């Protein structure tokens, strides 16, 4: 089916996205139509003057949607958008990797929608013109030679023309009703799309929280190491103070005014254990 269409259709735009379809039962939940991002393309059929959105996953058509003027593509988040297909009785959702890809698809959707509207208007004008020609055409060539055809105001030709106009009006009314129903469905599932976005944001926050917890554990280990080093240095200082008191009878308050570096120098100078050196150190400490 699809290869035959592809021969006469030309792709005019392609992108990649995760495809979703609305749950036909609840009309509220999204069902993933693809396990990963797939190619989503706009195709133009020159023979039918029609536009389609097509996406194929493997050998299965995930999206096969003919674009109509009544369709509306709605951005429900920074990376998610959706539209309703009344003919397929479903709603499609696309999740993009970047906001720019969503913007490009949205703009192309608008362009294709306008092109489909113009194509429909031309087709309707052509049908009206053909109808008018059919009504005015003579049934017998000899009648045309005798007298020009005249359209009767209240005759069967007028009834036929009004019947064609009524059919066009009825078709337009059906399209308008379909559009209203589609917009109503979109309004109902906006919350579901927002939930999808929140779940994605929540996953990122959880990952960031795990990373922060890992950093906290590392900081705790570093703090414990610093505390151990501080305790070791404190013990060395206490040993120096005890050594100074026991060996050289230096009062404890002298050590309150010296730093660790001064204390270490003091310990090195006390190694000769001479009385003269001790007096000089006491003098320097005062």
């Amino acid at each position: 089916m699809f290869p035959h269409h592809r021969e006469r259709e030309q792709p005019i735009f392609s992108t990649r996205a995760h495809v979703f379809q609305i749950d036909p039962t609840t009309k509220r939940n999204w069902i993933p139509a693809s396990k990963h991002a797939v190619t989503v393309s706009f195709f133009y059929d020159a023979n039918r003057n029609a536009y389609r959105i097509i996406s194929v996953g493997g050998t299965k058509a995930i999206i096969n949607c003919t674009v109509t003027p009544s369709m509306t593509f709605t951005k429900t988040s920074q990376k998610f958008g959706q539209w309703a297909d009344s003919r397929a009785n479903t709603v499609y959702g696309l999740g993009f990797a970047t906001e720019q890809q969503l913007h490009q698809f949205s703009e192309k959707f608008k362009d294709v929608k306008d092109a489909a509207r113009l194509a429909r208007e031309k087709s309707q004008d052509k049908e009206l013109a053909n109808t008018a020609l059919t009504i005015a055409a003579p049934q017998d060539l000899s009648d045309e030679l005798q007298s020009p055809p005249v359209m009767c105001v209240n005759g069967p030709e007028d009834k036929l023309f009004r019947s064609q106009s009524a059919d066009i009006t009825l078709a337009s009314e059906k399209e308008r009703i379909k559009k209203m129903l589609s917009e109503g469905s979109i309004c109902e599932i906006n919350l579901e799309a927002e939930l999808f976005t929140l779940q994605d944001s929540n996953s990122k926050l959880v990952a960031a929280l795990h990373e922060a917890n890992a950093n906290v554990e590392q900081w705790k280990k570093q703090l414990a190491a610093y505390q151990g080093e501080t305790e070791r240095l404190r013990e060395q200082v206490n040993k120096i103070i005890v050594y100074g008191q026991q060996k050289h009878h230096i009062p404890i308050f002298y050590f309150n005014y010296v730093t660790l570096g001064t204390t270490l120098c003091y310990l090195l100078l006390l190694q000769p254990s001479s009385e003269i050196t001790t007096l000089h150190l006491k003098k320097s400490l005062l």
Side-chain angles (χ1 to χ4, degrees):
M1 176 181 178
F2 293 104
H4 175 69
H5 285 298
R6 295 288 179 86
E7 291 178 0
R8 66 184 185 185
E9 289 181 328
Q10 296 296 327
I12 57 178
F13 177 81
S14 295
T15 185
R16 293 186 66 82
H18 291 270
V19 180
F20 298 85
Q21 282 188 348
I22 200 67
D23 190 341
T25 304
T26 63
K27 296 294 183 180
R28 293 183 178 275
N29 301 321
W30 287 110
I31 299 177
S34 61
K35 295 182 179 179
H36 49 79
V38 295
T39 301
V40 181
S41 303
F42 286 91
F43 279 84
Y44 173 64
D45 187 345
N47 294 336
R48 296 190 300 124
N49 197 18
Y51 296 86
R52 290 200 302 162
I53 302 176
I54 297 176
S55 179
V56 179
T59 58
K60 179 182 177 182
I62 302 175
I63 302 176
N64 183 14
C65 171
T66 300
V67 180
T68 63
S70 61
M71 289 182 176
T72 301
F73 183 79
T74 305
K75 297 180 183 179
T76 56
S77 68
Q78 293 182 347
K79 299 180 183 179
F80 193 88
Q82 62 192 43
W83 80 96
D85 185 358
S86 58
R87 295 182 179 179
N89 193 26
T90 188
V91 178
Y92 294 104
L94 298 180
F96 296 90
T98 63
E99 186 176 355
Q100 181 182 4
Q101 289 179 345
L102 172 60
H103 178 72
Q104 291 175 349
F105 185 88
S106 177
E107 292 299 317
K108 180 55 65 174
F109 196 100
K110 292 178 182 178
D111 295 341
V112 171
K113 174 183 173 181
D114 292 339
R117 178 180 56 79
L118 293 175
R120 171 170 292 185
E121 291 176 355
K122 290 181 180 179
S123 178
Q124 291 178 350
D125 293 341
K126 186 177 180 180
E127 289 179 0
L128 289 174
N130 292 335
T131 302
L133 290 175
T134 302
I135 295 173
Q139 303 235 345
D140 189 9
L141 185 58
S142 60
D143 293 337
E144 181 182 9
L145 295 175
Q146 293 175 3
S147 61
V150 179
M151 182 180 293
C152 299
V153 177
N154 296 319
E157 293 86 354
D158 183 57
K159 292 181 180 179
L160 178 61
F161 184 78
R162 283 185 293 175
S163 176
Q164 293 287 342
S165 299
D167 291 341
I168 295 173
T169 303
L170 181 60
S172 300
E173 185 67 17
K174 287 182 178 180
E175 288 295 333
R176 187 181 68 83
I177 294 174
K178 288 180 181 180
K179 181 178 180 181
M180 292 174 61
L181 293 175
S182 300
E183 291 176 351
S185 300
I186 291 173
C187 292
E188 289 179 0
I189 61 177
N190 275 342
L191 291 177
E192 186 66 25
E194 292 178 2
L195 178 62
F196 172 80
T197 304
L198 290 175
Q199 288 176 345
D200 182 58
S201 300
N202 183 64
S203 300
K204 294 179 181 179
L205 289 175
V206 170
L209 181 60
H210 287 324
E211 183 179 358
N213 289 335
N215 292 334
V216 168
E217 292 298 326
Q218 183 179 1
W219 295 337
K220 286 182 178 180
K221 292 180 181 179
Q222 292 180 353
L223 179 60
Y226 293 152
Q227 289 176 342
E229 182 68 14
T230 302
E231 189 64 27
R232 185 182 66 82
L233 293 175
R234 184 179 290 109
E235 291 178 358
Q236 290 183 356
V237 172
N238 290 335
K239 289 180 180 179
I240 292 172
I241 294 174
V242 172
Y243 177 81
Q245 289 177 338
Q246 292 178 353
K247 298 295 184 179
H248 304 285
H249 308 287
I250 298 177
I252 186 64
F253 65 84
Y254 283 114
F255 294 95
N256 294 335
Y257 300 99
V258 295
T259 62
L260 179 61
T262 305
T263 306
L264 292 175
C265 293
Y266 169 74
L267 190 62
L268 292 174
L269 292 173
L270 284 182
Q271 292 300 323
S273 188
S274 63
E275 184 178 354
I276 297 175
T277 305
T278 302
L279 291 176
H280 280 290
L281 284 172
K282 287 182 179 182
K283 184 177 179 181
S284 63
L285 289 173
L286 289 175

